Amino acid sequence: MLEYEVAAHRIDAHGSLATTKDAEIVLDTDMAGRRDAFNPAELFLAAIAACMIKGIERVTPMLKFELRGVRVNLKAVRQDAPPKIISVHYAIEVDTDETDQRLELLHTNVRKYGTISNTVAAATELVGTIGRKP
């Protein structure tokens, strides 16, 4: 079993700081919001995107899949009462010359083996597509 640790602390009424290993990220914990930091919902979406991109990095050598780049766009829908994310939609854009069948194989692997995406999919609707970079 793997374990992960993150610590976060309040800096002031406008933000907080999360740390792990030698990394840190400023968090938007200001009730008015701030444009220079991720709020909790945006951080949640960033974690899903990071999981998908890391999954692609993991499986491309095994599949001998050639790509020049990847972008993941995500949107979440939040309900107010009780507050929760009810769905996450994503679009993975891959800059590649691989066939459509190989692109779908990459998508299957990303969905099947992603720790964060599997966790999210068990808790809410997670749907999306994979396609070529326009």
Side-chain angles (χ1 to χ4, degrees), residues 6 11 16 18 21-23 45 48-49 55 57 59-60 68 71 76 83 86 95 103-105 110 112 116 120 125:
V6 171
I11 296 170
S16 300
K21 301 175 289 219
D22 295 328
L45 294 178
I48 298 168
E57 295 293 346
V59 302
T60 52
R68 291 174 290 279
R71 178 182 177 95
I86 59 170
D95 187 0
L103 203 54
E104 280 305 319
L105 177 62
V110 167
K112 187 173 184 178
I116 304 304
V120 171
E125 179 184 39

Side-chain angles (χ1 to χ4, degrees), residues 10-134:
R10 179 183 186 269
I11 296 170
D12 56 29
H14 305 291
S16 300
L17 188 70
T19 60
T20 187
K21 301 175 289 219
D22 295 328
E24 60 184 35
I25 186 168
V26 176
L27 306 174
D28 172 9
T29 52
D30 187 323
M31 291 307 297
R34 48 186 288 188
R35 302 208 40 87
D36 66 338
F38 285 74
N39 69 33
E42 293 159 343
L43 193 58
F44 173 70
L45 294 178
I48 298 168
C51 175
M52 290 177 170
I53 294 169
K54 188 166 186 167
I56 288 169
E57 295 293 346
R58 183 182 308 113
V59 302
T60 52
M62 290 183 279
L63 299 175
K64 294 180 177 33
F65 191 100
E66 297 292 326
L67 59 81
R68 291 174 290 279
V70 175
R71 178 182 177 95
V72 181
N73 298 302
L74 299 106
K75 290 185 181 180
V77 176
R78 176 191 181 272
Q79 76 177 25
D80 284 334
K84 68 178 182 175
I85 301 293
I86 59 170
S87 66
V88 175
H89 296 261
Y90 66 87
I92 302 171
E93 297 174 0
V94 183
D95 187 0
T96 185
D97 296 323
E98 296 279 356
T99 65
D100 290 346
Q101 181 181 10
R102 300 257 304 145
L103 203 54
E104 280 305 319
L105 177 62
L106 181 64
H107 192 208
T108 298
N109 276 272
V110 167
R111 285 296 305 254
K112 187 173 184 178
Y113 297 110
T115 302
I116 304 304
S117 57
N118 281 336
T119 302
V120 171
T124 192
E125 179 184 39
L126 177 64
V127 294
T129 60
I130 193 167
R132 295 180 196 292
K133 177 183 174 185

